[in-house]
Amino acid sequence: MIEQLGRVWSASLEALRALGDVALWAPLLRAGLLLVAGVVLARLASRLLSRATPGPPGHARVLLRRAASWAVLGVFAVSALRELGFDFAVVLGAAGILTAAAAFASQTSASNVISGLFLGFEGTISIGDVITVNGVTGEVLAIDMLSTRLRTFDNLMVRIPNETMMKADITNLNRFPIRRYDLRIGVAYGSDLARVHAVLMEVADANPLVLEEPAPLIIAQGYGASSIDLQLSVWARKEAYLEVRNDVQRQVKTAFDRAGIEIPFPQVTLHARESVPTSADAATSPDPENATEGADASDPDAARG
Amino acid sequence: MIAEHRAHEWRVTSWTGDDPLEGTLEIATRVDREQAAQAGAPAAITRRFAFDATPASLALEPRLADRDVVVRPADPLTIPAGETTLLYVSTPLWFSVATAGPRHVLFEAPFFRPSDTWFGPSTVEGELCYASRTTGRLELAELPVRPHRAITPVRIRNRAKEPLALERLKLPVGILPLLAGPRGLWTPQIVLTSSEGADRADIEVRPGAPAEAGTAVPVAEPRRRPDAALSLRTFGRWLRLGAAP
């Protein structure tokens, strides 16, 4: 027992002597200081770039800030490792093999990273835009290294890999300052089309959010099964698009009701043909009215009208 | 607009008229509850402003529109090469509601909300403006007098070798002060010089009240400062936009 205590005491003394050796501590201290300085300077570089390029946080700006931050941090991390005695000549020698191995292991990730860079350079979308990708519509929250994050209007976050973004059709809904809203509407065949045009144009003129130029437009879409189909196209600034869409639909319905213009719904006209009851029918059914209805209902020609 | 003075707040209910071409504007200093109820149009907006000690009075001040205004002549107008013409146009007014001493602008609203419009060669390039419901006139007497609109005399000089077909004109009301005189509300005269037959024109704002306005005095400052050498896309002569289905 006393021997064991003696050994522990000796080991502790050895450790304390080693701790007191400045030659061992100095590189560790220098490496730590370099890392701390790197983190501070990387943040400083990011902030300086942010101030130097004022405006909304676009993708290119975010990318630039991150690149500067990572570059500064990388330089300081390498310096810190050198202080600890890492030989980078060996690391560089092994880099070829490592790169090949990493390339196989991270094909998808690399593709996403490169796609993200191309998305940034292309400038199709930027942070804050409202886009539709693969049927998902939302506001772009971030374009990261591997993925793009969207916030849908029901407040869900959707992560889309950048590779998918590159391959998909992207619709940017607020790229341009004005948008067109198309209202497709059918009117009854008996309607006075000149009157219909006048009423639609009055609705467009009366709404101050509908742009006067480009002028509202009415396009004849053709003769439908139950209605004459028209399209009213009005322009609005992008911020007012939803309001114009709601207003115009409501106002067109109100104006049509007031003007007595019918918006027909799909209709099928049935012509009932009167048939003479046979002696057999009369025998099975004492009620001649019921017998006639039964014959009509089973007659496919009558049903077709 | 109805303003109610309360112990710690001003409660202001405002609404805009339906007909921008209406020729009257009524201002009453006292209204009863019944009138106030009738005035409660569906589009009425009530705003409340809280104070520690509520200022005793509110000031109602006219302002020019907060965007440029696009005006059309009554019929397409052509100015031959080297000619000059004077056009009178009227633009919609806003009103600002402010407290006196200390002065706080509480809000601004139009008397009648003008339609939005787009002024530019394409649906991608251009500028959002207001559309003036009235047309520019060559004779001042032909311009209907409306208390909720300001008149601007616009002198157009065509220094180009080609005739200038004037289909629409963008009036930079943001750089103009508003003047009040015995003949209503005016702005200084502006001179547009078209030198290359392009859509751009050099703009000069003549200081002081125009002769037609009589002894008018400024009642509102310009919303923005004009650039030293002002050249703006002013004449819109492009064709119909976005006609494709």
Side-chain angles (χ1 to χ4, degrees):
Chain A
M1 182 68 182
I2 293 170
E3 275 182 23
Q4 280 178 341
L5 280 173
R7 265 188 242 122
V8 170
W9 176 247
S10 308
S12 302
L13 280 177
E14 283 292 320
L16 280 171
R17 269 190 215 111
L19 280 172
D21 190 355
V22 179
L24 188 69
W25 271 100
L28 270 174
L29 195 66
R30 281 200 294 270
L33 283 174
L34 278 169
L35 273 178
V36 171
V39 170
V40 171
L41 286 175
R43 285 189 180 172
L44 198 66
S46 175
R47 280 186 194 170
L48 281 174
L49 272 173
S50 179
R51 282 182 195 169
T53 52
H59 175 55
R61 284 183 58 212
V62 172
L63 211 63
L64 187 69
R65 277 170 51 192
R66 283 186 186 163
S69 177
W70 282 107
V72 171
L73 200 60
V75 168
F76 277 84
V78 168
S79 303
L81 287 172
R82 280 175 68 93
E83 282 298 326
L84 292 175
F86 279 87
D87 186 359
F88 276 88
V90 179
V91 174
L92 286 174
I97 302 163
L98 280 173
T99 307
F104 277 113
S106 60
Q107 272 186 55
T108 309
S109 301
S111 171
N112 281 325
V113 170
I114 291 165
S115 299
L117 288 174
F118 279 121
L119 272 176
F121 293 135
E122 205 177 55
T124 313
I125 58 169
S126 55
I127 292 166
D129 283 354
V130 178
I131 61 168
T132 301
V133 189
N134 291 342
V136 179
T137 300
E139 179 194 356
V140 178
L141 289 182
I143 306 168
D144 291 330
M145 291 274 280
L146 299 176
S147 64
T148 298
R149 281 179 288 150
L150 301 186
R151 184 190 67 84
T152 63
F153 293 119
D154 49 352
N155 219 24
L156 305 177
M157 199 189 77
V158 181
R159 177 190 176 278
I160 303 172
N162 286 337
E163 191 184 0
T164 309
M165 292 284 289
M166 276 302 283
K167 289 176 182 170
D169 293 340
I170 301 174
T171 308
N172 193 330
L173 300 183
N174 57 358
R175 181 59 182 259
F176 302 125
I178 56 173
R179 284 183 67 185
R180 195 177 85 171
Y181 167 59
D182 296 334
L183 172 67
R184 288 177 178 244
I185 192 163
V187 294
Y189 272 93
S191 306
D192 175 0
L193 284 186
R195 175 85 183 119
V196 170
H197 275 234
V199 169
L200 288 175
M201 291 309 273
E202 277 169 21
V203 167
D205 283 346
N207 191 330
L209 294 177
V210 170
L211 299 186
E212 196 182 271
E213 289 272 343
L217 194 66
I218 297 169
I219 302 164
Q221 292 289 342
Y223 298 111
S226 310
S227 60
I228 300 173
D229 297 328
L230 302 169
Q231 177 180 306
L232 170 67
S233 297
V234 295
W235 288 81
R237 61 196 159 90
K238 64 183 177 189
E239 297 85 2
Y241 178 81
L242 199 61
E243 199 175 341
V244 164
R245 182 175 158 165
N246 288 336
D247 282 356
V248 167
Q249 291 201 35
R250 180 173 48 80
Q251 288 159 355
V252 164
K253 174 74 171 65
T254 308
F256 274 14
D257 288 348
R258 203 172 292 152
I261 297 166
E262 186 192 351
I263 303 173
F265 46 86
Q267 297 170 28
V268 177
T269 309
L270 294 178
H271 295 281
R273 204 164 55 190
E274 193 180 346
S275 60
V276 179
T278 60
S279 57
D281 289 336
T284 53
S285 171
D287 183 357
E289 197 178 327
N290 286 343
T292 307
E293 278 181 9
D296 268 348
S298 61
D299 183 355
D301 289 338
R304 255 183 245 127
Chain B
M1 188 189 89
I2 292 172
E4 285 180 73
H5 182 269
R6 298 191 174 192
H8 292 288
E9 68 170 303
W10 269 106
R11 184 177 289 218
V12 185
T13 303
S14 68
W15 62 98
T16 54
D18 295 329
D19 181 10
L21 304 182
E22 198 173 314
T24 58
L25 182 69
E26 287 179 25
I27 295 177
T29 51
R30 286 186 186 282
V31 290
D32 59 27
R33 287 274 159 202
E34 196 176 330
Q35 276 180 302
Q38 282 176 354
I45 300 168
T46 298
R47 298 175 176 91
R48 298 171 65 196
F49 304 94
F51 301 90
D52 186 20
T54 313
S57 61
L58 292 181
L60 197 66
E61 296 161 356
R63 299 294 309 267
L64 285 163
D66 56 3
R67 281 188 227 145
D68 291 349
V69 178
V70 176
V71 187
R72 293 162 176 272
D75 293 301
L77 188 68
T78 301
I79 303 166
E83 284 297 324
T84 298
T85 189
L86 183 62
L87 202 65
Y88 294 96
V89 297
S90 76
T91 58
L93 285 176
W94 264 234
F95 62 90
S96 78
V97 176
T99 58
R103 181 185 157 80
H104 297 291
V105 176
L106 302 183
F107 71 97
E108 282 191 15
F111 285 107
F112 293 94
R113 172 70 162 81
S115 280
D116 289 339
T117 193
W118 182 250
F119 189 82
S122 71
T123 53
V124 174
E125 186 193 343
E127 185 187 344
L128 268 172
C129 299
Y130 291 117
S132 177
R133 287 275 170 166
T134 59
T135 51
R137 308 294 173 118
L138 291 170
E139 299 293 333
L140 180 58
E142 288 178 4
L143 196 69
V145 178
R146 296 187 178 94
H148 49 83
R149 298 182 75 90
I151 301 171
T152 304
V154 184
R155 186 168 291 281
I156 303 168
R157 292 177 179 154
N158 183 12
R159 292 280 180 267
K161 291 175 183 170
E162 299 294 322
L164 176 67
L166 194 68
E167 289 183 9
R168 51 180 85 74
L169 177 71
K170 189 184 71 155
L171 212 60
V173 292
I175 62 168
L176 300 176
L178 185 63
L179 313 167
R183 296 175 195 168
L185 292 164
W186 289 74
T187 73
Q189 185 185 98
I190 63 172
V191 181
L192 305 175
T193 306
S194 166
S195 51
E196 297 167 16
D199 290 326
R200 304 187 77 84
D202 294 328
I203 298 176
E204 179 198 341
V205 180
R206 290 273 169 88
E212 301 89 329
T215 52
V217 291
V219 289
E221 293 295 308
R223 287 183 183 268
R224 63 174 196 267
R225 286 186 175 186
D227 298 332
L230 199 59
S231 169
L232 290 177
R233 175 174 275 144
T234 297
F235 304 118
R237 286 174 294 184
W238 34 82
L239 298 174
R240 297 285 167 268
L241 301 170

